[in-house]
Amino acid sequence: MKNPTKKKRNLFTQKICRFCSDKIQFIDFLDIKLLKPLISERGKIVPSRISGNCARHQRQMTEAIKRARSIALLPFSEEH
Amino acid sequence: MRNYQSILILKPDLDEAQVEQSIEKITSIISKFGGAILKLDNWGKKRLAYRVKKNKFGYYLNIYHTCEQGNVPALEREYQLYDLIIKYLVIRLEERDIERVMSKAAEAAEKAESEAKESVTAEKTEGAAKEGVVAEKTE
Ligand SMILES: [Zn+2]
């Protein structure tokens, strides 16, 4: 029996990469306004399966977020 | 000779003069290792995303500079020893990265210039309008 609570995701609904649609070539790690929506409330990086970013941009963005973290522009985790 | 970007966080309790002094000191440190500053941005006091050496705020400096290739570890060591710097990050930039930064800066400068001109002309017209009002009143 199929689980009625689990809806089958439509494979044809494609999410759009926000960097591709904005035609952003280079993700600057100092551009906090750009990166802020891509981390969760706990400070985690949102996976591409949720944000819909393409692999190339997800990779660039991850690097940018990690750099921003190391210079205290973005949090590693929630502030305690 | 390669291009680098140094982001430095200075202690938050400095005043303007002390920040100026530390910028001079940092300039001398960079030139000591055979480098020159290409561009320096002072972002001012910003809130840190997490506490760094018990500080919640910090003065951000973003410096684009050149440096002799083997000297970067020594440069980082010098940053570490300078007591006003609480955190630093040195990144190597490729040729196209520095070109992008410089062209962006030139664009921004151009924009600021044209805006300044616009504001001047706007003021002039405003002043003229005010004069007109005054003239009307006196009549
Ligand atoms: Zn993309």
Side-chain angles (χ1 to χ4, degrees):
Chain A
M1 203 180 102
K2 271 186 182 173
N3 186 353
T5 56
K6 203 175 177 183
K7 255 190 181 171
K8 200 177 174 188
R9 204 179 129 207
N10 188 358
L11 291 170
F12 298 100
T13 54
Q14 205 181 5
K15 289 182 183 170
I16 303 153
C17 170
R18 69 177 75 193
F19 296 110
C20 283
S21 60
D22 292 347
K23 291 194 174 133
I24 292 173
Q25 300 284 332
F26 172 78
I27 302 171
D28 190 359
F29 72 98
L30 302 173
D31 195 351
I32 300 306
K33 269 185 201 154
L34 188 73
L35 298 174
K36 205 105 199 213
L38 293 159
I39 59 170
S40 72
E41 277 169 38
R42 301 205 119 202
K44 290 183 169 187
I45 298 171
V46 177
S48 62
R49 103 184 102 83
I50 292 170
S51 66
N53 287 343
C54 71
R56 183 162 165 262
H57 279 125
Q58 183 74 10
R59 207 160 50 234
Q60 288 178 3
M61 183 208 85
T62 308
E63 184 148 315
I65 288 176
K66 285 175 179 174
R67 277 188 174 171
R69 275 177 178 167
S70 72
I71 198 67
L73 289 170
L74 288 178
F76 281 102
S77 66
E78 280 173 301
E79 186 83 16
H80 296 292
Chain B
M1 209 66 133
R2 275 196 172 134
N3 299 312
Y4 295 90
Q5 177 180 17
S6 289
I7 302 167
L8 308 170
I9 308 178
L10 306 178
K11 278 187 179 171
D13 47 5
L14 303 176
D15 56 43
E16 291 292 320
Q18 280 171 308
V19 172
E20 283 301 318
Q21 266 176 19
S22 55
I23 289 174
E24 266 171 38
K25 172 97 194 263
I26 290 156
T27 313
S28 71
I29 290 171
I30 290 170
S31 58
K32 198 171 100 186
F33 293 108
I37 290 185
L38 303 172
K39 190 173 180 298
L40 190 145
D41 299 327
N42 185 351
W43 292 353
K45 207 168 172 177
K46 273 173 81 100
R47 199 192 173 84
L48 304 173
Y50 48 86
R51 265 165 285 171
V52 180
K53 291 190 181 163
K54 295 180 184 168
N55 294 298
K56 284 193 167 180
F57 291 85
Y59 261 103
Y60 273 85
L61 293 180
N62 181 18
I63 306 167
Y64 297 96
H65 61 92
T66 56
C67 189
E68 218 60 68
Q69 266 173 50
N71 285 343
V72 175
L75 180 70
E76 286 189 333
R77 181 91 192 117
E78 202 82 6
Y79 284 159
Q80 228 166 37
L81 293 172
Y82 190 27
D83 56 346
L84 296 180
I85 296 174
I86 55 173
K87 209 167 172 62
Y88 65 88
L89 180 71
V90 182
I91 298 168
R92 199 182 104 195
L93 295 177
E94 301 296 338
E95 205 53 53
R96 60 194 155 101
D97 293 326
I98 197 79
E99 269 169 26
R100 185 180 49 238
V101 167
M102 286 306 167
S103 67
K104 214 175 171 184
E107 233 170 65
E110 230 168 67
K111 204 181 169 190
E113 212 169 81
S114 67
E115 261 171 26
K117 268 182 196 165
E118 260 170 40
S119 71
V120 166
T121 50
E123 265 169 33
K124 268 182 190 167
T125 51
E126 223 170 72
K130 268 181 195 167
E131 270 167 28
V133 169
V134 172
E136 263 171 38
K137 271 184 186 170
T138 47
E139 268 171 22

